[in-house]
Amino acid sequence: MSTRRERRAEEEVKESVSEEEEEERRSAEEEDLEEAVRAAASSTSSRRRPGLPKQRIIVHVPEAVDDFFRNFLLRSGLIRTLNSFETEWYGSAQTLLTTTTTTTTTTTTTTTGVSFTPDALTHRQLLQNELDSVRRETQLLRQEVHAAGEVLVRVQRERDFHRLQTRRVAEDKNRLIHDFKQLKKLLESYEPALRHLEDKYQAALRQKMHLSLEKERVQNTADRKLNLEKAQEKKERSIKRSSSGDRSATSSGRHLKDSDFPVCSRLVNPHRAQVKPPPGKSRTSFSLSRSIKGHTMPISCIDLHPGKLILASASDDCSWRLWALPAGERVGQMVLTGEGHSDWLSGCSFHPDGCKLATTSGDTTVRLWDFSLGCCVLTLSGHNQPTWGCSFHSCGHFLASCSADRTVKLWDLNSQRCWSTLRRHTASVNSVGFLPSSNLLLTCSSDKTLCLWDGRLGVCTATFHGHQHPCNHATFSQAADVVASCDSRGVINLWDVRRPESPMTAVDVGPLAANQVAFSPSGNLLAVASGDSLVRLVEVNSCAVSGLTGHGGSVHSVTFDHQGETVMSAGGDGVINVWS
C-alpha cells in the first residue's frame, strides 16, 4: 500500500510539475504572441503619416478546433485524456477520405464514419474561390456585352449608309424616268419628219433604180443591135468564105464575147515570187507586231493584194475594206471600203491585176468591185443558196465561185455569163481555188471529200477521200505538188496531188474546227486558222506544231505575205492581227 501511495504521490508530483511547465510554456507563448502583436502594431503605426494619433490594433486570430480541445484539456489538467486525444486525433487524420464537397458547407467523411467540420479559414477560402469564379464570369460577360455593343453600332452605321444609298438610287431612278419620258415625247415629235425623209429616200431609190434599169435596157438594146449587125456581117463573110471551113459565132451557139481558157496548163504569174528559204532554216518564230480593229462584227475572210502589202477583209457587217500595211508601222490604214451586199460577206479574192476585188455573200450573189471607180461593176447571179468563196484564174478572165447549193460555177467576166457549172459534190461546197497559173481547180465540201477539176473541160479529174468530218477549206502549195485541207474536227491532211487515194500525213489540232489553211510561198510552212482562238503553224516536213495567241475569239482566215515573213489573221473578234 505504501508503495502504491508513493507511486501515486510521485505521479501527482509529476503531473503538478508538468502542469507548471505547461503553464510556463503557455505564458511564454502568450508573451511571444503579445510581443509579435506589439511589433506589428508599431510597424503599422510607423508607416502612418506623421501627425496622426496612434491607434491600437486588435488582431483576432481564430483558433483551430484541435487547438481549442487541446488547450481546454490542458487547462483542466486532464493530461492522460489529452494524450489519448492527440493519439486518436493524429491517427485518424491519416485515414480520412474526402467524399463530398458542396459550395455552402463541406463535410469530409472517412471510412470509420468520423466527420470533420471546417474552420472559419477553410470556409473563407471556399467563399473566396466562389467569389473569384463569379468575378471571372462577370468579366467575360462584360467583354461580350461590350463586343455586342460595338457590333450593334457598326450594324446601325451600315443600315444608315444603305438607307442613304437607297434614297439616292431612288432619286436617280425618278430622274431617269423623267428624262426618259421627255426623250420619248421628243422622239414622237420627230417621227413625222423621219417618215417624210424615209418616203423621200425610197422615192429617190426607186428613181435611181428606174434610171439604172432604163440605162441598162438602152445599153442592152444597143448591144443587141450591134451584135446583130456583127453577126450579119460575119454571116455574110462566112458565106463568101464557105470554102475556108470557118465557123460563125452565131452558128456555134456561143456568145460573141465568150473567152477561152488558155491552152497552156501553166502560166507565169509576175506577182508571185518563188521564195526559197535558206538551207536548214525554218521560219516558225513569229510575234504579234500590230493589231487592227477592222470591223465591228466578225471577219469571215482576208486576202492579200497580188503585188502590194494591201489586205482586203470581208465581214458579217455586209461590207469589205482595204487596209494598207506600211512596213515599220504598228497601225494599218483603211484606204477603201464598199457596201452593196444585202447579207453577210463570206469571202473575197483579188483580181490578178490587183485593180478589182470579188466578194461572195449570203445573198447568193457574187460581186465584182473596181477600185478606180469605187463601186460594184458586175453582179453575178446564178446560185440559189449562199456563196462561200471565189477564186480568179491566172489570166483574169474567169472567176470560180462555190455555194451551199452543192455546185461550182465558172464565170466568164468578158461575156458576164456562166461559162459552166460543175456538179459532183453531194453537200455544200465550202471552198474553191485555182491552181497557181493553171486551169486546174480544187474544191472541198461538207461531204468530206476534195475534188480536182479541169476547168477548161469542166470535168472532175480526181477525188480525195480521207476526212472523217466535213471539210472547211483546201489549198495548193506554190509548187502545186502538195494539197492541204482541214475539217470541222481540227484534222489537217496533206495530200500528194498524184496520189489522191489517201493523205500523206495528218495533223490533229482539234477538238475545235480548223477553219482555213494557207501555205507559205516556200511551201515549207502551213498556217491554220483554228476555232480555239489560236493561229497554228505546222512545219510540212516534220509536222511540228506551234501556236500564236492574240485573238479573242475563233480565227476564221489566215494568209502569208509575199515573202513568207509575215502571217496575217482575222476572226470573230473583228480584229486583224499581223505576226512578224
Side-chain angles (χ1 to χ4, degrees), residues 59-78:
V59 179
H60 175 72
V61 180
E63 189 175 15
V65 175
D66 56 342
D67 291 340
F68 172 78
F69 279 110
R70 189 180 293 107
N71 294 331
F72 174 77
L73 295 175
L74 186 61
R75 285 194 298 269
S76 300
L78 302 175

Side-chain angles (χ1 to χ4, degrees), residues 372-393:
S372 60
L373 300 177
C375 63
C376 176
V377 295
L378 180 61
T379 300
L380 303 174
S381 301
H383 293 286
N384 53 31
Q385 290 192 30
T387 52
W388 293 120
C390 57
S391 176
F392 281 98
H393 189 273

Side-chain angles (χ1 to χ4, degrees), residues 257-395:
K257 294 185 179 181
D258 279 349
S259 303
D260 290 326
F261 274 92
V263 177
C264 180
S265 61
R266 299 300 297 270
L267 302 175
V268 178
N269 188 351
H271 299 294
R272 295 288 185 180
Q274 297 295 329
V275 179
K276 295 183 179 180
K281 184 177 180 180
S282 177
R283 299 178 181 272
T284 57
S285 58
F286 290 83
S287 60
L288 184 62
S289 61
R290 70 183 78 180
S291 185
I292 306 168
K293 183 61 178 177
H295 295 266
T296 58
M297 297 185 70
I299 299 175
S300 56
C301 183
I302 57 174
D303 191 44
L304 187 65
H305 190 279
K308 300 179 181 180
L309 200 59
I310 296 178
L311 194 69
S313 62
S315 171
D316 288 355
D317 60 7
C318 305
S319 68
W320 58 268
R321 294 178 181 179
L322 294 184
W323 303 89
L325 306 175
E329 295 187 11
R330 299 187 64 84
V331 294
Q333 301 174 359
M334 188 179 68
V335 296
L336 193 62
T337 183
E339 295 182 359
H341 285 284
S342 60
D343 209 337
W344 41 266
L345 271 65
S346 57
C348 60
S349 179
F350 274 102
H351 193 276
D353 62 8
C355 297
K356 300 180 184 67
L357 182 73
T359 57
T360 56
S361 169
D363 60 7
T364 73
T365 64
V366 182
R367 289 179 180 262
L368 185 65
W369 308 81
D370 193 325
F371 299 148
S372 60
L373 300 177
C375 63
C376 176
V377 295
L378 180 61
T379 300
L380 303 174
S381 301
H383 293 286
N384 53 31
Q385 290 192 30
T387 52
W388 293 120
C390 57
S391 176
F392 281 98
H393 189 273
S394 300
C395 66

